[in-house]
Amino acid sequence: MNLRVCDSRSLCEPLVEPGLGLRRPYPHFRTPYTPHSQRLAPAKVSSPPLGLSRLLFPFSPSNEASSKWLDAHYDPMANIHTFSACLALADLHGDGEYKLVVGDLGPGGQHPCLKVLKGPTVLTETPLPALPAAAATFLMEQHEPRTPALALASGPCVYVYKNLRPYFKFSLPQLPPNPLELDLWNQAKEDRIDPLTLKEMLEGIREKAEVPLSVQSLRFLQLELSEMEAFVSQHKSKSIKRQTVITTMTTLKKNLADEDAVSCLVLGTENKELLVLDPEAFTILTKMSLPSVPVFLEVSGQFDVEFRLAAACRDGNIYILRRDSRRPKYCIELSAQPVGLVRVHKVLVVGSTQESLHGFTHKGKKLWTVQMPAAILTMNLLEQRSRGLQAVMAGLANGEVRIYHDKALLNVIRTPDAVTSLCFGRYGREDNTLIMTTRGAGLIIKILKRTAVFVEAGGEAGPPAAQAMKLSVPRKTRLYVDQTLREREAGTAMHRTFQTDLYLLRLRAARAYVQALESSLNPVSVTTREPLKLHAVVQGLGPTFKLTLHLQNTSAARPILGLLVCFLYNEVLYALPRAFFKVPLLVPGLSYPLETFVESLNDKGISDIIKVLVLREGQSAPLLSAHINMPVSEGLAAT
């Protein structure tokens, strides 16, 4: 192993790779020469010259001779606390030198800041007013020089930087406050209620109201009794403002799919909305609603042509939206909470808390599932443009970083600490660089060897083996040939006949549906005044059956009283102790089991239908009904 130390005007050349010859230096990690004694000093260990990293760090995470990666840098005390959404690589000055942008949370969530790294060293560090949620780089305009802008989402704002200087600040529009909360603070302003009463009423509003409380009220509810009066006297004159915050952010191409095309910012907010911003004026181009708060976003397409948005939300579902939809078009229901979302070509790869990766189409069809050996901490995309490869990187809690192409394992990287964020791309002047930060705030930089080729190491990939087996297709018969000729000659008439029958089928189905609604033959009520749901269960072998009716009030907050249940049945075949009884008060959200017994009187194995009607006192038309197909009494049949 040869090592050559150069003067300060040259570069430190790396070691000789076995079988590869001498690799070219790392010009993007250029570090001035320092004496060997200073280089080993504790103050200099955090950022050594990358050409000497293996000499200074003999406990390097992997062996380069057998690995596909070169260990460029490892600093266990880099003091970087972040996650994958807050990492971005971009040529911020237009000089071809790509830099790393880090939205740092700070130790313990204190003192958040924006860091820009050049090589292993921190170039700039800017404090932030709130914790960062995401970082992204994008082109705002087509004018020369075409340097990308940096967008950092923090709290309710997006801070845009150009040439690492503040350029624009976009704030989310304020939301209307809760009217009951506003009235309470107005009463407190006029000294008509005391702080203790204000706290009790605000707690009641927080539990029942659909509109959340403002930050001012939430802070007030966290105070002790001795601090309430001073807080009220200080804030009662201030106006109530309800401000949402940004939870996730990504970029969407405006009208071209080129790599250097203008992009829009896509924001996910705490009030369950997605906003698409204009890249020049920073106005809201479109707004979409979601059933839950988005935490991960993936986009494809162009805003002016056609695009798709995939949003993983806190309710454990992934919602797919398209350009012409203001609400989700498809929904993917997961069995556990998502911990990452990556789009690989046309497949959505989702990591879940059940230590597994899942592949879905954009319409929600599950393609595959891969079980992980440990919990997934972070995910990101690995794209090697020179070989046209796209894969998923998953950082695990056991200190491994696994790379998958579909469900085939390509590579495993072992690190000295669990990886919490991943970023792959061009860094400095090297195209394929992997940047990782660890749970202990460390920084690991690896470079993919130019001769490295990813080979599927395991797992089922592609179609199953049975698909390659030839089927014994029978020879064409005379009947098949005649039928084919008939379809060619009368294809138009056959299509018209099919369309006519299809329209008739739809018409009959619509008429039957309308008839069921008018006669209340469905088990779910369609009226908004009495939203009810009925479900019946029959238990037993006979001749005595247990019939259980589950009646539920599906309204949000209004109880229902004064309902009756009536059974219509053939008295020759069945006997019921009570064919008509009252229903107790139905509390919203609860399912009430109503039990009765049915006695089968026929010994010839004949069964019939029992009709269940739910009525309102004083009305002849039923609210809803159910037809129960009674089973054959096996007890009487056996005798």
Side-chain angles (χ1 to χ4, degrees):
M1 186 168 65
N2 300 324
L3 177 67
R4 187 178 70 183
V5 180
C6 308
D7 58 11
S8 59
R9 293 172 297 176
S10 61
L11 303 177
C12 295
E13 297 183 1
L15 306 178
V16 176
E17 294 297 331
L20 296 179
L22 185 64
R23 289 180 56 89
R24 73 177 182 87
Y26 304 112
H28 53 294
F29 294 141
R30 181 172 180 174
T31 306
Y33 171 74
T34 54
H36 187 67
S37 59
Q38 296 181 13
R39 210 175 298 139
L40 293 177
K44 298 294 182 179
V45 170
S46 61
S47 58
L50 296 184
L52 304 178
S53 60
R54 281 168 291 184
L55 178 62
L56 300 183
F57 296 100
F59 46 88
S60 183
S62 62
N63 184 10
E64 290 190 11
S66 59
S67 174
K68 294 179 174 60
W69 303 89
L70 296 174
D71 296 326
H73 178 65
Y74 172 50
D75 183 3
M77 303 177 65
N79 196 25
I80 296 178
H81 307 80
T82 187
F83 48 96
S84 297
C86 288
L87 292 180
L89 294 168
D91 182 9
L92 299 177
H93 296 96
D95 56 356
E97 191 86 10
Y98 278 66
K99 298 173 182 63
L100 174 65
V101 178
V102 180
D104 199 330
L105 305 177
Q110 303 293 328
H111 309 294
C113 61
L114 171 64
K115 294 181 180 179
V116 178
L117 279 74
K118 180 180 180 181
T121 59
V122 178
L123 192 64
T124 62
E125 186 171 340
T126 306
L128 296 174
L131 293 176
T137 57
F138 67 106
L139 279 174
M140 299 172 51
E141 52 195 8
Q142 296 284 357
H143 304 306
E144 296 291 341
R146 306 189 64 188
T147 57
L150 168 63
L152 186 77
S154 178
C157 303
V158 177
Y159 301 94
V160 181
Y161 298 84
K162 290 198 73 175
N163 295 321
L164 293 183
R165 295 181 179 179
Y167 178 78
F168 189 81
K169 174 186 174 183
F170 171 80
S171 299
L172 294 176
Q174 292 186 3
L175 304 176
N178 192 311
L180 297 178
E181 177 191 5
L182 189 61
D183 182 61
L184 287 177
W185 280 103
N186 289 333
Q187 295 182 29
K189 182 179 180 180
E190 300 171 0
D191 296 330
R192 288 191 289 170
I193 56 175
D194 54 73
L196 188 58
T197 306
L198 176 63
K199 179 182 179 182
E200 293 177 356
M201 300 186 73
L202 286 177
E203 287 179 346
I205 294 175
R206 183 175 61 174
E207 294 175 358
K208 298 180 181 179
E210 296 181 358
V211 179
L213 295 178
S214 63
V215 176
Q216 178 176 321
S217 298
L218 294 175
R219 288 179 179 174
F220 174 73
L221 294 177
Q222 295 175 351
L223 300 177
E224 300 293 336
L225 291 176
S226 58
E227 302 173 345
M228 289 182 183
E229 188 172 353
F231 184 89
V232 172
S233 60
Q234 181 182 357
H235 295 83
K236 64 182 180 181
S237 59
K238 298 181 180 179
S239 59
I240 300 297
K241 298 179 180 179
R242 191 165 70 90
Q243 182 75 59
T244 186
V245 295
I246 300 172
T247 57
T248 181
M249 180 178 67
T250 187
T251 57
L252 170 65
K253 299 296 182 182
K254 184 74 165 59
N255 46 28
L256 295 175
D258 300 339
E259 184 181 355
D260 57 347
V262 176
S263 301
C264 305
L265 289 179
V266 183
L267 309 179
T269 63
E270 190 72 30
N271 63 327
K272 308 175 185 178
E273 287 184 342
L274 293 178
L275 307 178
V276 181
L277 303 185
D278 184 82
E280 296 182 1
F282 289 98
T283 55
I284 299 177
L285 297 177
T286 186
K287 184 184 295 186
M288 303 178 182
S289 299
L290 292 172
S292 182
V293 180
V295 290
F296 299 106
L297 283 178
E298 276 294 335
V299 299
S300 61
Q302 300 89 47
F303 178 80
D304 293 338
V305 184
E306 178 64 33
F307 66 89
R308 293 190 183 187
L309 278 169
C313 299
R314 289 183 188 162
D315 60 355
N317 296 332
I318 299 175
Y319 299 98
I320 312 296
L321 301 96
R322 302 187 67 175
R323 183 176 185 271
D324 54 350
S325 60
R326 293 295 175 265
R327 300 193 65 83
K329 188 174 182 66
Y330 302 103
C331 175
I332 302 175
E333 296 184 359
L334 304 176
S335 57
Q337 288 291 329
V339 296
L341 178 65
V342 177
R343 181 178 61 87
V344 182
H345 298 299
K346 294 184 179 181
V347 179
L348 290 174
V349 182
V350 188
S352 68
T353 54
Q354 291 181 338
E355 303 179 1
S356 57
L357 283 177
H358 308 279
F360 294 92
T361 65
H362 280 283
K363 292 187 178 180
K365 180 182 178 182
K366 181 182 282 191
L367 300 176
W368 47 265
T369 298
V370 176
Q371 198 67 28
M372 298 286 108
I376 302 174
L377 300 182
T378 184
M379 293 173 55
N380 213 332
L381 176 68
L382 184 148
E383 184 174 9
Q384 190 180 6
R385 300 180 185 274
S386 60
R387 299 185 183 274
L389 172 68
Q390 283 191 354
V392 177
M393 301 181 294
L396 307 183
N398 61 352
E400 291 183 352
V401 176
R402 295 195 160 215
I403 303 175
Y404 284 90
H405 178 65
D406 289 337
K407 58 180 179 178
L409 179 62
L410 300 182
N411 189 236
V412 178
I413 303 173
R414 292 175 175 83
T415 57
D417 194 5
V419 173
T420 55
S421 67
L422 294 164
C423 186
F424 184 86
R426 183 178 178 87
Y427 189 32
R429 298 184 185 276
E430 193 68 35
D431 288 332
N432 302 314
T433 306
L434 175 60
I435 300 169
M436 300 174 280
T437 64
T438 62
R439 184 180 290 168
L443 175 65
I444 302 174
I445 302 177
K446 291 178 177 290
I447 299 175
L448 184 65
K449 294 180 180 178
R450 292 172 184 168
T451 57
V453 178
F454 289 107
V455 180
E456 297 176 359
E460 280 185 40
Q467 187 170 327
M469 296 175 59
K470 292 185 178 181
L471 299 177
S472 56
V473 181
R475 299 181 62 183
K476 295 179 181 180
T477 60
R478 182 64 184 175
L479 178 61
Y480 173 81
V481 175
D482 294 344
Q483 186 69 14
T484 304
L485 295 175
R486 174 177 169 272
E487 290 178 359
R488 288 180 181 177
E489 295 173 357
T492 304
M494 294 173 66
H495 177 71
R496 288 175 180 173
T497 304
F498 171 76
Q499 290 294 328
T500 302
D501 294 342
L502 180 61
Y503 290 145
L504 288 176
L505 177 62
R506 291 175 177 173
L507 178 61
R508 291 171 183 171
R511 286 177 177 172
Y513 180 66
V514 171
Q515 183 181 2
L517 293 180
E518 292 177 349
S519 57
S520 299
L521 295 178
N522 51 334
V524 179
S525 177
V526 295
T527 61
T528 56
R529 291 188 56 189
E530 281 128 356
L532 298 172
K533 183 179 179 181
L534 180 63
H535 174 61
V537 177
V538 180
Q539 295 174 311
L541 299 176
T544 301
F545 298 95
K546 182 180 179 181
L547 177 60
T548 306
L549 303 178
H550 296 275
L551 191 61
Q552 183 179 358
N553 177 9
T554 58
S555 66
R558 187 170 59 85
I560 298 178
L561 185 63
L563 299 182
L564 304 170
V565 172
C566 176
F567 295 95
L568 299 180
Y569 57 94
N570 190 344
E571 297 183 356
V572 178
L573 300 178
Y574 300 105
L576 275 77
R578 291 189 306 165
F580 185 84
F581 58 86
K582 280 190 174 185
V583 177
L585 174 71
L586 299 181
V587 178
L590 297 181
S591 178
Y592 288 81
L594 307 175
E595 299 178 351
T596 186
F597 291 93
V598 179
E599 186 76 23
S600 178
L601 306 178
N602 188 276
D603 57 352
K604 298 180 180 179
I606 300 175
S607 62
D608 199 4
I609 295 176
I610 295 180
K611 298 180 180 179
V612 183
L613 306 178
V614 179
L615 309 165
R616 162 70 70 180
E617 290 185 1
Q619 296 181 4
S620 58
L623 299 177
L624 69 162
S625 63
H627 290 195
I628 304 173
N629 293 314
M630 295 297 295
V632 176
S633 176
E634 298 184 7
L636 289 177
T639 58

